[in-house]
Amino acid sequence: MASSSSSEGEGRRAWVPLASRPEFAGVTPLPQDDGPSPVVAIAYRDDFRETMDYFRSLYSSRELSPRSLLLTSLAISVNPANYTVWHFRRQVLEALGADWTEELEFTEGVAKRNAKNYQLWHHRRWVAEKLGPDAASRELEFTRKIFCLDAKNYHAWSHRQWVLQALGGWEDELDYCAQLLEEDVFNNSAWNQRYFVITKSPSLGGLNAMRDSEVDYAIEAIHANPENESPWRYLRGLYNDENEAWLNDSRVHSACLRVLKAKRNFKFALSTLLDLLGLGFKPNQEIKDAITSLRTSDLGEAGSDSDLANSICSILGLEDPMRANYWTWRKQQASSSS
Amino acid sequence: MEDDRDRGLLYDSDPSSPSLSPPRPFALTFFDRERHVKFLEMMYHMLPRPYQSQEINHLTLAYFVISGLDILDALDRVHKDAVADWVLSFQAHPRSKADLDNGQFYGFHGSRSSQFPSKDNAIFTPNGSHLASTYSALAILKIVGYNLSNIDSESMLTSMRNLQQSDGSFMPIHIGAERDLRFLYCAAAICFMLNNWNGMDREKAKEYILNCQSYDGGFGLSPGSESHGGAAYCAIASLRLMGFIGDDCLSNASAPSSKANIRSLLDWSLQYGGFAKSPGVLPDLYHSYYGLAAFSILGEAGLKPLCLELGVTEAAATGL
């Protein structure tokens, strides 16, 4: 099998023209036909141009050989987003009877410089599918390594979710989310994954079974960092389509009250209460007082706001000035529905 | 796009040529339209070498340049007929009506590197046409005022159905690729621009979009994925293009943002024109285009208003 792992080294060593390489003897490069009146022309470098000329030739003649495999490695190193090249590589791999484990190693090499490349991840998924459920733990480990470098790599998260659903490996996923959140409780990708696990894992019983403990988990995170938007969103998400239950879970409004009383980082506590009010929540006096005490002198007397919802919107207009227009609109919405 | 090359620097990062290293940028206090026009005009004539790694998306790069110039009301810098001819040369054509049953998509290629000369008696004519390239192609044609009824849209739309999956999502190319909201958006925009919804099942598409909505109200690129700004755009724009949400869909999002936003955008406007991803980095086409779009939305004088759903100016969208 032609060496495919040399691709990462190619760019760094001196370029040897393909025309001088014995393995490509007999290949007639096919130059690019730029067509009529080309605009937005690209200033190709010579090695790029030559590589693509050779690729065009082998691809057009459908040569599914070891040297074609090598050429795709070279082409990928200069042009990793070119899906035609990746597709040709897959055709060659199937024709030659690939070692799929070796191919996984190839993708890991490409990932070192192109961890956010769509074609790479699609190819990886294709190879993993060939290997089946046995590949699950290796794939989960691979994404774990990517997350060590970039905890929010969107492609890696997509891949991980696909692996879990197609190949399995759910057993340790909730623990993994907990670990990531211990390292960085602001990691929204980890919160998202946690929601994915509790709703989809075949071994946890689903959202209804998990809701109670997850509410406690989210509230603990909220009190540690009330300015962290993620657990607030997560908490609300636990009660999607369950408004009655959300209204009646005293832990939710108690958590809001505790944050308000601290008089710091209360943006999300206020907006949560606003949402609750919109669904018919009847706050006790303690909550009303806590809200009123947050009004600054800019806002004048509490009586100038017809009700609590208006008051909250006024406070948020000052606390969250980036969204001042939004809070004005919420105030209008609150008035028109009351 | 991880390394500096791929961020589309104006110059090669070549330590042996210090004269090519970027001068220290300074912040402007006003929107210097002429500087941005010059930047895009330069790109129109020649994209620097670092863009070769994005070669497969050549048509999309062209879209950034041409639509950017349009927003700047500087389309006079462009040879419209030449552009139209060039774009049309990327279209994939079925050899016969029978080809429309072969499962392929007959749209536009994104670049010469996915387009191969077709030989008359060839059994194998590679067809690398792609949904995103097709969107870019049609958008450019609209911008330069080309009459889209001259295109063989029938083949394009009939074959586009081959790309829609059973869950409503779209694959961008029939040889296989990832599928997510981006390509659903492309499909919707294509049907909208051609004023013909034969290319997709809108109900199924809507179902997929709704399945992409996250627990936090945002949208991910695929079901279960984290909410993402780009996905939110694709979701909402697609729903609007398909006719599922109307003008009464409230929002004050169109009102100009606070001064802080404009100031930080201006901070990123560099002396050579264009916009960069972040301070201290050279400008690239992608961020330049969306920076211009942002300023258009903010109502900057001298910039043409945008048709937000299509990603082109209103004038281009309505064909004025």
Side-chain angles (χ1 to χ4, degrees), chain B residues 1 20-21 25 50 61 110 119 146 198 248 253 271 274 279 289:
Chain B
M1 300 202 295
L20 290 182
S21 58
L61 296 175
K119 303 158 194 164
Y146 183 78
N198 287 339
D248 55 349
Q271 58 178 328
Y289 181 68

Side-chain angles (χ1 to χ4, degrees), chain A residues 40-41 44-45 62 154 189, chain B residues 44 47 52 55 58 124 226:
Chain A
V40 204
Y44 300 115
R45 207 165 59 192
R62 312 256 296 153
Y154 204 86
S189 305
Chain B
Y44 171 74
L47 291 176
Q52 71 184 13
E55 204 267 343
H58 204 165
F124 170 63
E226 189 182 359

Side-chain angles (χ1 to χ4, degrees), chain B residues 133-291:
Chain B
S133 317
T134 305
Y135 161 77
S136 301
L138 294 177
I140 294 172
L141 288 171
K142 270 191 95 62
I143 291 167
V144 298
Y146 183 78
N147 187 345
L148 288 182
S149 55
N150 292 333
I151 287 184
D152 175 15
S153 52
E154 204 52 52
S155 305
M156 194 181 306
L157 293 168
T158 306
S159 61
M160 197 163 92
R161 294 197 90 115
N162 294 326
L163 298 177
Q164 189 164 22
Q165 307 301 297
S166 55
D167 63 1
S169 68
F170 273 83
M171 208 156 57
I173 187 168
H174 65 269
I175 55 175
E178 70 281 11
R179 68 196 70 160
D180 56 53
L181 264 187
R182 296 172 298 150
F183 305 118
L184 195 155
Y185 167 75
C186 291
I190 288 165
C191 288
F192 188 91
M193 283 191 277
L194 295 174
N195 197 21
N196 183 335
W197 292 95
N198 287 339
M200 63 191 288
D201 180 335
R202 276 181 280 185
E203 282 299 327
K204 284 213 88 62
K206 181 179 79 168
E207 228 176 88
Y208 183 77
I209 294 173
L210 297 180
N211 285 338
C212 286
Q213 189 162 29
S214 162
Y215 63 86
D216 65 9
F219 289 87
L221 277 179
S222 50
S225 289
E226 189 182 359
S227 354
H228 183 289
Y233 170 79
C234 289
I236 303 303
S238 299
L239 288 172
R240 187 145 164 90
L241 287 169
M242 291 192 289
F244 291 121
I245 47 182
D247 286 335
D248 55 349
C249 166
L250 51 94
S251 178
N252 275 339
S254 54
S257 279
S258 68
K259 287 177 187 159
N261 263 352
I262 300 177
R263 211 166 21 244
S264 69
L265 275 176
L266 279 173
D267 281 347
W268 292 354
S269 177
L270 302 179
Q271 58 178 328
Y272 357 86
F275 290 92
K277 182 180 183 181
S278 52
V281 170
L282 286 169
D284 62 71
L285 270 183
Y286 174 86
H287 293 98
S288 298
Y289 181 68
Y290 289 105

